[in-house]
Amino acid sequence: MNPLIKFFRTKIYTAVFLLVVIMLIGVFGFVMISGYSWIDAFYMTVITMTTVGFGEVSPLDDQSKIFTIFLILASVVIVGYALSIITEYILSKNDVEELKHKKMQKKIESFKNHIVICGYGRNGKQAARKLMAYKKKFVVIEKNKEMEARMQLDEVPYVIGNANEDETLITAGVERASCFISALPNDADNLFVVLSARQLNSKINIISRASNESSYDKLKFAGANNVILPDKIGGDHMASLVVVPGLMEFIDNLSIVGKSNINIEEVAVEKFYDSKKPKTIRDLDLRKKTGCSVIGYKDENGEYMVNPEADMELARHSKIIVLGRPEQIEALNSEYGIN
């Protein structure tokens, strides 16, 4: 809970407590001093505290008048205090929400080379969880304001707005982002968003979701680098569980989301050495230093090679894919300062 809200709630509890105390004093006072019944004493206490101006149940003697004066003065102070605290709390709650949004926007503005996720549905949420597991900076764009509470609970940086509007994309930092994931349920919306993102950032890597295969070529033409068909992937995966169940189970274990279950990393060659003379996989000796094994290589043109030879020279601007247990991946990150 926000400390400011907690502070105001404590003050409200104090004000309510004081109101109850002064009311009990008033009731018992009128019973003991004026000899009223409990109902009449409660009635007199209420009209005295609220200063509505009704007449007394019966004429008051001098002692009762002195007590009533004390009750009026105390009630004015306590009721006024309670009303001011409640009003301040209501106003501060709105201010706190505004401060939260300003703080989040400032955080988003500090991001660079981050990922923008458009849509926080099933696919968007899964993408966010994976990126959080890999400690990647990202921002979610979500049109549905009802999802705001869910994103706050998940501690996800977000922007509430329509991704079809350039202003919303700019607020999320698309111009500074390195990757854009469009995970909207409607293919037409994805197409429009991909076009807008590509126009704002010509170098950004765009990955889009598609429901229909007919939308694949259109999204690629609009500027998407990769188009994912969740239904097709799901069907292929289920069929693979029948054909090669053991292999798929192994792959699934590599894909579990969670900080302690990251088993595969793709690392730029520049992270391992800064000399102009190229090194080989054997020269890196990652197996001995960290326990990780090199299982793939991506050259500067984006072409992949599975299980590269140990004597392969690692060209600049290329990447290697390493496999290892969570503690081995952590050792790799520590050894070479990989974030």
Side-chain angles (χ1 to χ4, degrees):
M1 183 186 295
N2 187 281
L4 187 59
I5 296 294
K6 189 176 181 180
F7 171 71
F8 275 116
R9 285 191 178 180
T10 302
K11 293 179 75 173
I12 287 174
Y13 295 149
T14 303
V16 171
F17 173 76
L18 291 174
L19 286 172
V20 172
V21 169
I22 197 67
M23 182 171 285
L24 290 174
I25 291 173
V27 172
F28 279 97
F30 280 119
V31 169
M32 302 298 294
I33 298 172
S34 304
Y36 288 165
S37 67
W38 290 105
I39 294 296
D40 288 343
F42 181 70
Y43 170 75
M44 281 295 295
T45 302
V46 171
I47 65 172
T48 302
M49 289 180 64
T50 56
T51 64
V52 294
F54 290 153
E56 299 89 348
V57 174
S58 60
L60 300 174
D61 56 22
D62 290 343
Q63 283 185 323
S64 298
K65 287 178 181 178
I66 293 171
F67 173 74
T68 304
I69 291 170
F70 162 77
L71 187 61
I72 291 171
L73 293 175
S75 298
V76 168
V77 173
I78 293 173
V79 171
Y81 172 75
L83 289 174
S84 66
I85 290 299
I86 292 171
T87 303
E88 195 174 357
Y89 171 71
I90 293 171
L91 294 175
S92 69
K93 194 172 182 182
N94 293 330
D95 290 340
V96 167
E97 289 299 319
E98 187 177 348
L99 285 172
K100 280 183 180 178
H101 285 111
K102 286 183 178 179
K103 185 178 180 181
M104 183 175 295
Q105 188 55 44
K106 189 175 181 180
K107 180 181 179 181
I108 292 170
E109 288 173 359
S110 69
F111 286 173
K112 190 176 181 182
N113 295 324
H114 60 289
I115 300 101
V116 177
I117 302 173
C118 187
Y120 202 62
R122 289 191 302 270
N123 293 286
K125 189 181 297 184
Q126 188 68 20
R129 289 179 62 200
K130 193 75 172 181
L131 292 173
M132 287 180 74
Y134 279 83
K135 299 180 181 179
K136 298 292 184 181
K137 294 180 181 178
F138 67 92
V139 180
V140 174
I141 299 176
E142 175 55 54
K143 181 170 66 174
N144 187 0
K145 192 167 176 61
E146 294 178 0
M147 295 294 293
E148 186 171 14
R150 177 74 258 180
M151 290 186 288
Q152 287 179 350
L153 187 64
D154 294 341
E155 298 182 347
V156 169
Y158 65 89
V159 172
I160 297 293
N162 191 342
N164 289 336
E165 299 174 359
D166 288 353
E167 184 179 350
T168 303
L169 295 175
I170 292 171
T171 302
V174 168
E175 295 166 303
R176 308 183 305 275
S178 62
C179 188
F180 184 87
I181 299 174
S182 186
L184 299 174
N186 186 284
D187 286 358
D189 289 337
N190 283 319
L191 182 64
F192 192 89
V193 169
V194 167
L195 280 168
S196 299
R198 180 57 70 199
Q199 185 179 19
L200 291 170
N201 188 340
S202 60
K203 296 181 179 179
I204 194 169
N205 179 37
I206 299 178
I207 302 166
S208 177
R209 175 191 186 276
S211 299
N212 303 309
E213 290 191 33
S214 58
S215 302
Y216 183 92
D217 292 333
K218 296 175 184 176
L219 285 163
K220 292 284 284 186
F221 184 76
N225 300 90
N226 300 97
V227 179
I228 307 300
L229 295 158
D231 293 339
K232 182 180 179 182
I233 292 174
D236 288 345
H237 191 84
M238 287 186 284
S240 297
L241 285 170
V242 176
V243 179
V244 282
L247 177 60
M248 293 310 298
E249 186 177 356
F250 175 74
I251 293 173
D252 286 342
N253 285 331
L254 297 181
S255 303
I256 295 173
V257 175
K259 291 183 180 178
S260 61
N261 293 293
I262 299 172
N263 302 104
I264 299 178
E265 283 278 5
E266 183 183 75
V267 187
V269 168
E270 285 76 15
K271 291 287 185 179
F272 298 107
Y273 66 94
D274 55 6
S275 63
K276 293 183 179 180
K277 183 180 178 181
K279 290 187 177 182
T280 65
I281 294 174
R282 190 190 305 278
D283 292 334
L284 295 181
D285 200 12
L286 294 182
R287 181 71 179 174
K288 183 178 180 180
K289 292 179 180 178
T290 66
C292 295
S293 300
V294 177
I295 62 170
Y297 175 72
K298 181 182 179 181
D299 65 22
E300 63 271 27
N301 299 317
E303 297 294 328
Y304 280 93
M305 178 182 293
V306 178
N307 196 23
E309 297 293 334
D311 294 327
M312 170 179 280
E313 289 189 347
L314 303 173
R316 297 186 67 81
H317 307 300
S318 62
K319 297 180 179 180
I320 60 173
I321 295 90
V322 296
L323 173 68
R325 296 192 302 275
E327 64 272 16
Q328 293 171 335
I329 296 293
E330 185 64 33
L332 175 77
N333 294 338
S334 300
E335 177 74 20
Y336 295 100
I338 301 170
N339 298 323

